[in-house]
Amino acid sequence: MNKSIDQILAELYEIDPTLRAEEDRIKIIIREFSLMKPDTKLDTAFVTRLRAELKKRPLPMRSAAPNGGSFAIWRLASLELRRSGFAYGALALVIVALAGVTYLDYGGSGGQSGVLALNIEEAGARAFGDLVGASATPKGSDTGSGQELGADATAPSDASPAPMMAFGMGGDGALAPSTIEGRSQSGGGGTAGMTIAPWPYTPWEYRYAGDAFETPADGSVYKRIKSSRSAADLVPALRRMNFDIALDTFSALTVRNLEVVENRDYGYAINVNVPEGMITINADWERWHREGKEYQPLAESEVPASETLISIADAFLSEHRIDTSHYGAPVVDDGWRWYPQPLLEDGTRPARYIPDMISVIYPLKIGDLEVYEEGGMPYGIVVTVDARERKAMNVGNINTLDFQKSSYALEQNVERLKEFALRGGLYGGMLPAENGNAETVALGTPEFVLMRFWRYTNFRGEELLIPALRFEAAKAPQNAWAPRAVMVPLVKEILDQAPPPPVIMPLEKMSPPEAVTQPLPAPDR
Amino acid sequence: MTDESLVRACQTGDREAFSALYDRYIKKIYTYVYYKTHHKETAEDLTAKTFIKALEHIDSCDPDQRFGAWLYRIARNTVIDHYRTARPALEIDDAWDIPDTSDIARDADARQRLAAVRAEVQALPSVQRDILMLRLWEGLSYQEIAQIVQKSEGHCKVIFSRAIRQLRAANALAAFLIILYATHSI
């Protein structure tokens, strides 16, 4: 503020040098007037509504000359194909050939007829067999664990609590703390001198502080169906294109993956993963010029407000007509605020890690039930916003929504469900308390939701949505990291097969492996 | 893309270009309108009218002129039209010209925040108010302000200094604050 006031004063003195004699008074007037600035909160719903209204209105033109350069998939299909670029043409072919409709709904019809429409087939009772799976993979062995760099927001998430690994390692951007869902919150300064020492761990324990509740009498398990749709239909069209390769000499061709990129600076790449039924949009980093920019770590006060982040995400989805009719109100993943700032021995508090990239999540809804990850965060379309540049950088989890549903017996014993909640969920795994030093996490009355659950059979994962209770933590402990919510599946057979909680050894107790204590032999030359 | 190229794209029928301009300016215009209305619903209504007018007349916007200034001017005129239509017998430019005791809707927060400066700011001509708000609240440069209020940059600086002089003369509170904060720099 001082700098701007000094500049304002300098400009004033240019016009009226006599004001310099009253500088103190003038400064106060400027400062007081500046502080009176009304708090203007822009309603994101209004922004979305007005944008929609403007899109309905005709745009007057100076001339009818065609315009290039702006991006919309539907335009690619109709216009850019004529430019004979393979990428554009191929995307158009995907659009046309995959299902006769575009992946991204552009007709304003709510997407009910598109491939992103929600389709649920009824199946018989226990139609999916044993939900835990014949060879269930232990949690933490798959991609998307909390230690991942958050680069792939669409990766299956891992819910095993792993508090030690996520603490305080965000200084050089190489190991950014991520939420336990492995969501994209990477980056974080990236300048030297920002190294943050690991925080001492503090264990936590749960206490139920909610009201009495009842369990739902019945509920359905949903299994996501991934089909290749009509990807094979694309091949004949590809064969007609001239690649200087005789595609017809290959047999049983189908299309598995396709990526197209906007051919411009600050463009986006759109990846269509046909077998997974998944579209991902990513900033095309090669064309996002950041040379010469020196990025200092963001201050907490510089992080855009949630409403701003949501507004940016809304604008991007709206601009590209990405259908969100099966998704609930967006929420900002503010997990970084939950990392503690304990008082250190020297009386200071460690710098809080501030992510450069913050996720806005549009939770998937099946009927009235929102879908959550096993770690308690909403699951759905994720828009990653660059907090510094205030731009949407990635959109993940734009998935086909084809499910089968089947009824399974639900646990009715409330006390048993509470026990699971107090041990931290299905897999448990809290750090052991010593000398009564545990922080308490108060859990509120649970909410009936669906939980994304992975069944692993023969090293293949199947995506299920199962009825669950979500116990939200009332607030974060001051001096310890702790989950924000505990998820407890309601399906009785899953609870019956739950493994005992693992014992987690705190880092301070670990001894270095023998081999490390021995000097290593010099490498051969 | 620059505003200039987006405006040119709009004029050739590129609707996405207008969306980009909308995203770039919605917050700024809403904020500016709110400063002049002190009421959320009214600000939203007038912001919507501003963008609809801009869309309808985008073909008349000179791409070589600053789009932002053009849009602010539309917003400014829309606010003036709003109050003058409601009270045609009075020379009202915005909510500042209307006594706090009147029946127009004002948000409680804005009413409270502005109470301390209402009398002084109300006494200023509306163009002085605009320049004060744009310079001190929005942090716009004199060059940008000049294009919005359609005066020269130098003239804007003169108007600003007059406004400060007028506030200084009226602001009895400042004298008290000088004593209070005599040893503090701001």
Side-chain angles (χ1 to χ4, degrees):
Chain A
M1 191 174 201
N2 285 344
K3 193 177 172 187
S4 63
I5 287 181
D6 288 342
Q7 190 183 343
I8 289 165
L9 288 174
E11 290 162 346
L12 268 177
Y13 300 155
E14 272 178 30
I15 300 297
D16 188 350
T18 63
L19 286 171
R20 193 185 293 275
E22 299 179 77
E23 186 166 296
D24 285 344
R25 178 177 285 200
I26 301 295
K27 273 186 177 178
I28 287 170
I29 288 170
I30 290 172
R31 185 164 186 250
E32 290 300 308
F33 189 84
S34 299
L35 292 174
M36 300 295 172
K37 179 177 169 177
D39 187 15
T40 56
K41 288 192 178 109
L42 183 57
D43 185 343
T44 54
F46 161 70
V47 174
T48 306
R49 213 167 47 239
L50 178 55
R51 184 186 291 106
E53 167 65 24
L54 290 168
K55 284 189 173 172
K56 286 183 204 160
R57 290 173 177 264
L59 189 66
M61 286 185 282
R62 272 191 168 167
S63 73
N67 172 61
S70 74
F71 165 73
I73 281 191
W74 61 274
R75 298 191 71 224
L76 290 177
S78 60
L79 297 176
E80 311 296 354
L81 183 60
R82 290 199 291 266
R83 299 184 178 187
S84 300
F86 164 65
Y88 286 164
L91 177 62
L93 285 167
V94 168
I95 291 166
V96 172
L98 274 183
V101 289
T102 63
Y103 259 103
L104 309 185
D105 171 51
Y106 58 84
S109 63
Q112 296 306 310
S113 60
V115 292
L116 296 182
L118 179 63
N119 294 304
I120 299 172
E121 285 177 16
E122 290 280 353
R126 297 199 79 255
F128 311 137
D130 181 358
L131 294 182
V132 178
S135 58
T137 305
K139 303 305 293 179
S141 64
D142 200 60
T143 56
S145 72
Q147 205 167 10
E148 291 286 326
L149 296 180
D152 182 5
T154 66
S157 297
D158 184 21
S160 54
M164 297 306 299
M165 64 192 181
F167 284 174
M169 299 295 287
D172 60 3
L175 223 187
S178 172
T179 60
I180 55 174
E181 289 76 24
R183 205 167 293 291
S184 354
Q185 278 198 340
S186 58
T191 53
M194 179 57 188
T195 304
I196 303 169
W199 282 303
Y201 93 88
T202 306
W204 69 88
E205 60 190 16
Y206 296 104
R207 176 173 63 84
Y208 183 68
D211 299 328
F213 65 91
E214 293 179 353
T215 58
D218 51 46
S220 295
V221 172
Y222 298 82
K223 179 179 165 187
R224 184 161 174 249
I225 307 301
K226 299 173 193 170
S227 71
S228 60
R229 290 197 166 260
S230 50
D233 298 345
L234 184 61
V235 175
L238 287 174
R239 281 189 171 136
R240 287 194 293 273
M241 300 182 84
N242 180 12
F243 293 107
D244 290 333
I245 295 174
L247 283 184
D248 54 359
T249 60
F250 297 89
S251 60
L253 287 182
T254 187
V255 175
R256 182 174 290 170
N257 208 302
L258 186 68
E259 183 164 90
V260 290
V261 184
E262 285 184 284
N263 185 22
R264 66 173 177 89
D265 288 340
Y266 305 102
Y268 291 88
I270 304 100
N271 184 284
V272 183
N273 185 328
V274 178
E276 292 293 322
M278 179 194 297
I279 295 178
T280 309
I281 302 170
N282 294 304
D284 180 21
W285 286 104
E286 288 188 6
R287 303 284 296 268
W288 282 65
H289 305 293
R290 297 186 173 215
E291 309 85 48
K293 288 189 180 180
E294 286 188 17
Y295 289 116
Q296 296 299 318
L298 282 178
E300 197 164 341
S301 59
E302 293 173 312
V303 176
S306 291
E307 63 188 27
T308 306
L309 294 164
I310 289 171
S311 167
I312 293 166
D314 275 347
F316 189 88
L317 295 178
S318 173
E319 182 182 358
H320 299 297
R321 297 175 175 81
I322 296 171
D323 182 19
T324 56
S325 56
H326 300 301
Y327 297 83
V331 292
V332 173
D333 183 355
D334 61 350
W336 59 275
R337 294 185 195 274
W338 282 59
Y339 286 91
Q341 290 182 288
L343 197 61
L344 302 179
E345 285 180 2
D346 64 0
T348 63
R349 291 183 187 275
R352 171 170 273 156
Y353 163 76
I354 312 287
D356 276 8
M357 302 288 175
I358 299 178
S359 296
V360 178
I361 308 158
Y362 294 72
L364 174 63
K365 287 184 85 170
I366 307 286
D368 293 332
L369 300 181
E370 289 197 343
V371 181
Y372 287 83
E373 302 273 17
E374 290 181 45
M377 285 295 289
Y379 167 73
I381 291 177
V382 180
V383 181
T384 306
V385 176
D386 185 330
R388 191 187 304 278
E389 303 285 347
R390 302 192 174 210
K391 285 178 184 292
M393 302 300 287
N394 311 87
V395 185
N397 290 352
I398 308 173
N399 296 344
T400 53
L401 300 174
D402 297 330
F403 293 96
Q404 287 181 332
K405 79 170 184 180
S406 174
S407 58
Y408 278 78
L410 303 188
E411 176 61 64
Q412 298 298 308
N413 184 340
V414 169
E415 291 309 313
R416 188 182 186 210
L417 294 167
K418 277 187 191 172
E419 279 175 23
F420 269 98
L422 297 181
R423 76 177 225 184
L426 188 62
Y427 302 105
M430 290 175 292
L431 295 165
E434 287 180 350
N435 306 321
N437 66 340
E439 292 274 349
T440 300
V441 179
L443 300 177
T445 310
E447 176 190 8
F448 181 35
V449 299
L450 290 172
M451 183 175 97
R452 194 167 177 238
F453 183 80
W454 288 88
R455 175 172 68 171
Y456 295 93
T457 306
N458 298 325
F459 303 102
R460 290 179 65 88
E462 286 182 312
E463 187 178 349
L464 305 172
L465 305 180
I466 61 173
L469 293 179
R470 181 174 184 271
F471 295 77
E472 186 159 331
K475 66 172 188 175
Q478 287 292 308
N479 295 312
W481 181 92
R484 286 179 277 178
V486 172
M487 300 291 292
V488 177
L490 280 166
V491 179
K492 196 167 183 314
E493 65 186 59
I494 292 177
L495 295 176
D496 292 344
Q497 298 178 63
V503 175
I504 297 179
M505 181 179 288
L507 284 179
E508 287 94 320
K509 305 290 184 188
M510 288 182 181
S511 301
E514 285 294 320
V516 177
T517 60
Q518 302 299 319
L520 294 171
D524 294 330
R525 291 177 184 274
Chain B
M1 287 177 83
T2 62
D3 284 2
E4 182 190 334
S5 55
L6 287 170
V7 170
R8 287 188 196 284
C10 287
Q11 290 173 343
T12 58
D14 188 343
R15 186 167 284 282
E16 304 302 327
F18 192 84
S19 287
L21 288 168
Y22 172 81
D23 291 335
R24 203 170 283 182
Y25 282 99
I26 177 68
K27 172 76 175 163
K28 289 178 181 173
I29 294 299
Y30 171 82
T31 301
Y32 173 69
V33 172
Y34 187 88
Y35 290 161
K36 293 170 78 63
T37 58
H38 312 158
H39 186 242
K40 178 175 178 284
E41 282 74 23
T42 308
E44 286 181 355
D45 183 37
L46 299 183
T47 301
K49 284 181 179 166
T50 299
F51 276 96
I52 289 168
K53 284 180 191 172
L55 176 80
E56 288 172 347
H57 297 94
I58 192 70
D59 55 334
S60 65
C61 176
D62 182 355
D64 295 325
Q65 300 297 313
R66 280 178 183 250
F67 172 79
W70 182 73
L71 194 59
Y72 271 103
R73 284 203 299 276
I74 294 176
R76 189 166 187 268
N77 292 335
T78 303
V79 173
I80 292 171
D81 287 348
H82 170 75
Y83 287 106
R84 290 194 182 169
T85 305
R87 290 170 168 76
L90 300 171
E91 189 80 3
I92 294 171
D93 280 357
D94 55 28
W96 290 97
D97 285 329
I98 302 172
D100 199 26
T101 51
S102 78
D103 58 352
I104 71 154
R106 280 190 172 96
D107 292 339
D109 177 63
R111 191 189 293 265
Q112 197 174 357
R113 274 175 183 265
L114 299 173
V117 291
R118 168 165 298 286
E120 289 93 331
V121 176
Q122 201 167 18
L124 300 174
S126 74
V127 71
Q128 283 192 10
R129 285 198 298 259
D130 270 9
I131 292 173
L132 269 182
M133 289 187 290
L134 292 169
R135 185 76 189 100
L136 296 182
W137 286 352
E138 283 301 276
L140 298 189
S141 68
Y142 281 111
Q143 190 188 9
E144 291 168 306
I145 294 169
Q147 292 188 344
I148 293 166
V149 298
Q150 292 182 292
K151 296 187 184 299
S152 73
E153 201 174 327
H155 196 184
C156 287
K157 288 182 181 177
V158 170
I159 292 172
F160 183 80
S161 72
R162 279 186 198 148
I164 292 292
R165 266 196 180 283
Q166 208 161 325
L167 285 180
R168 185 212 53 184
N171 193 344
L173 178 64
F176 169 73
L177 291 171
I178 285 172
I179 297 166
L180 194 63
Y181 298 125
T183 56
H184 294 257
S185 62
I186 55 174

